[in-house]
């Protein structure tokens, strides 16, 4: 819920008024926008992926990691569909999942998973500081993709309580990202709407 700013002159940031819409007004807008939309048939091809526990882990150097992060932080034409960005995103996600797998056997309550989250949160926070909106938005794309990849860590449910622990790690990462967004002096309201 949005709280009104009591004294705008005391704030250095631009105030944005958010109108309250009734359910009927929202439905009318959605109906109007969807009127000209055509249905699209999408064919999905099932892909059988191995659990991350059964995959070979990546062995990398700090230089390679830095190159991938730099690729993510650099603006490219068609950023979200650019092959370099997709490759770097997949690289970071694979590395994170490998890290979670490496920490699984050390504790029955999976408390060591936080070490992996702490190690990678700086990448997300660094990308949020980019001057390019698409780079900042991609942080949320990566978190969504990470949520999907986490489902492949233990598809058979062999490690009791692991999925709940991974969900807590994802929530922790999202919390740090949203905190950082709130602290940044960004004027692009589109970030919050994305």
């Amino acid at each position: 819920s949005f709280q009104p700013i009591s004294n705008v002159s005391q704030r250095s940031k631009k105030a944005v008024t958010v109108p309250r819409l009734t359910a009927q007004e929202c439905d009318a807008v959605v109906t109007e926008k969807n009127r000209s939309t055509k249905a699209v048939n999408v064919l999905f091809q099932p892909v059988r992926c191995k659990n991350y526990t059964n995959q070979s882990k990546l062995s990398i150097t700090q230089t390679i990691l830095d190159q991938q992060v730099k690729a993510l932080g650099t603006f490219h034409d068609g950023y979200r569909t650019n092959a370099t960005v997709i490759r770097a995103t997949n690289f970071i996600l694979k590395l994170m999942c490998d890290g979670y797998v490496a920490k699984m056997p050390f504790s029955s309550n999976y408390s060591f998973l936080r070490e992996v989250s702490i190690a990678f949160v700086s990448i997300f926070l660094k990308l949020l500081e980019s001057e390019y909106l698409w780079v900042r938005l991609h942080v949320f794309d990566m978190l969504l993709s990470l949520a999907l990849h986490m489902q492949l860590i233990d598809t058979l449910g062999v490690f009791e309580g692991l999925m709940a622990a991974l969900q807590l790690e994802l929530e922790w990462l999202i919390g740090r990202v949203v905190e950082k967004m709130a602290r940044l002096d960004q004027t692009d309201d589109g970030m919050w709407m994305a």
Side-chain angles (χ1 to χ4, degrees), residues 82-93:
N82 184 283
T84 303
V85 173
I86 292 170
R87 193 171 30 257
T89 300
N90 290 339
F91 180 88
I92 298 295
L93 296 177

Side-chain angles (χ1 to χ4, degrees), residues 4-27:
I5 299 173
S6 58
N7 189 348
V8 175
S9 63
Q10 293 178 352
R11 298 276 181 136
S12 63
K13 295 186 179 182
K14 180 176 77 172
V16 177
T17 305
V18 179
R20 291 187 171 207
L21 300 174
T22 65
Q24 292 82 12
E25 291 170 318
C26 288
D27 289 343

